[in-house]
């Protein structure tokens, strides 16, 4: 659980929208424009977690050289991001990622009535710390969360913390299509259909 002194799990290097922007010294809105206006960026090299894209850092690192006008990669920011995510490893394809979850997927996995119950467990240290915080959002490797579930359930009062086996199977095999599995449009885009 949260107090364990287990060594950190290796995790694939990722970048959310904020990190993508920082790696190319642009505002975060520019990353959205590369997708919606310029069409130089898409989600093929991203995993959608809790409604937001998280790109493979291997892809992000080379992105600037694939655009009509090459973009300069901030090497110092890349080194900082890699160090922040260590111990980590490089992944070239989304299907090589281990199962990853954010708060939306965890609420579904544990059949919680609201995200507030999860946030309270996190803030009080009863739920393991996130493996990542990218673009301000926590992300976990699924398997350590599942390993912690019996202890979490045993120490709970008022919340069952029972795993939904169908959701777990879908998260593990990459077929999950519940809350958090799609991009959530914000701002002016909220009136358009989700991707």
């Amino acid at each position: 659980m949260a107090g364990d002194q287990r060594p950190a799990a290796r995790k694939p290097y990722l970048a959310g929208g904020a990190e993508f922007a920082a790696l190319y010294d642009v505002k975060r809105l520019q990353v959205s424009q590369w997708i919606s206006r310029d069409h130089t960026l898409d989600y093929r090299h991203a995993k959608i977690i809790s409604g937001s894209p998280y790109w493979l850092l291997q892809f992000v690192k080379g992105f600037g050289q694939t655009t009509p006008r090459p973009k300069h990669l901030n090497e110092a920011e890349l080194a900082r991001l890699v160090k922040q995510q260590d111990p980590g490893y490089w992944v070239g394809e989304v299907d090589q990622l281990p199962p990853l979850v954010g708060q939306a997927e965890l609420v579904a996995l544990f059949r919680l009535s609201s995200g507030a119950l999860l946030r309270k467990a996190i803030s009080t240290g009863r739920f393991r710390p996130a493996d990542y915080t990218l673009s301000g959002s926590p992300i976990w490797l699924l398997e350590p969360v599942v390993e912690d579930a019996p202890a979490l359930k045993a120490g709970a009062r008022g919340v069952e913390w029972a795993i939904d086996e169908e959701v777990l199977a879908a998260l593990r095999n990459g077929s999950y299509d519940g809350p958090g599995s799609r991009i959530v449009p914000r701002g002016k885009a909220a009136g358009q259909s989700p991707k």
Side-chain angles (χ1 to χ4, degrees), residues 12-34:
Y13 296 124
L14 298 174
E19 293 79 18
F20 205 133
L23 285 163
Y24 286 99
D25 295 318
V26 297
K27 292 186 188 285
R28 188 170 178 176
L29 178 60
Q30 181 63 53
V31 175
S32 297
Q33 289 176 344
W34 288 336

Side-chain angles (χ1 to χ4, degrees), residues 24-142:
Y24 286 99
D25 295 318
V26 297
K27 292 186 188 285
R28 188 170 178 176
L29 178 60
Q30 181 63 53
V31 175
S32 297
Q33 289 176 344
W34 288 336
I35 296 166
S36 64
R37 187 184 70 194
D38 300 348
H39 305 291
T40 55
L41 179 62
D42 59 34
Y43 302 119
R44 284 179 295 164
H45 299 282
K47 174 79 174 163
I48 308 307
I49 305 169
S50 287
S52 295
Y54 295 91
W55 285 271
L56 305 175
L57 191 54
Q58 180 71 34
F59 166 77
V60 176
K61 185 170 80 161
F63 170 75
Q65 299 309 308
T66 67
T67 59
R69 290 187 353 217
K71 297 164 184 26
H72 174 73
L73 178 71
N74 181 329
E75 296 287 343
E77 184 63 22
L78 176 63
R80 185 196 69 73
L81 192 55
V82 166
K83 183 177 181 180
Q84 179 185 54
Q85 293 183 38
D86 272 338
Y89 60 97
W90 296 96
V91 174
E93 299 294 329
V94 172
D95 63 3
Q96 296 172 332
L97 289 172
L100 299 163
V101 293
Q103 292 183 57
E105 294 84 0
L106 289 172
V107 167
L109 178 66
F110 287 108
R111 297 184 210 147
L112 300 175
S113 59
S114 76
L117 295 169
L118 177 64
R119 287 189 296 277
K120 181 164 177 68
I122 294 167
S123 71
T124 58
R126 289 183 291 125
F127 199 88
R128 76 171 26 252
D131 293 296
Y132 303 83
T133 300
L134 295 170
S135 296
S137 297
I139 300 171
W140 292 262
L141 294 165
L142 175 64

Side-chain angles (χ1 to χ4, degrees), residues 147-172:
E147 290 169 15
D148 286 353
L152 184 62
K153 186 175 183 171
R157 286 180 253 129
V159 178
E160 194 173 322
W161 294 103
I163 288 181
D164 183 315
E165 293 297 331
E166 287 183 26
V167 171
L168 177 58
L171 287 166
R172 282 179 169 158

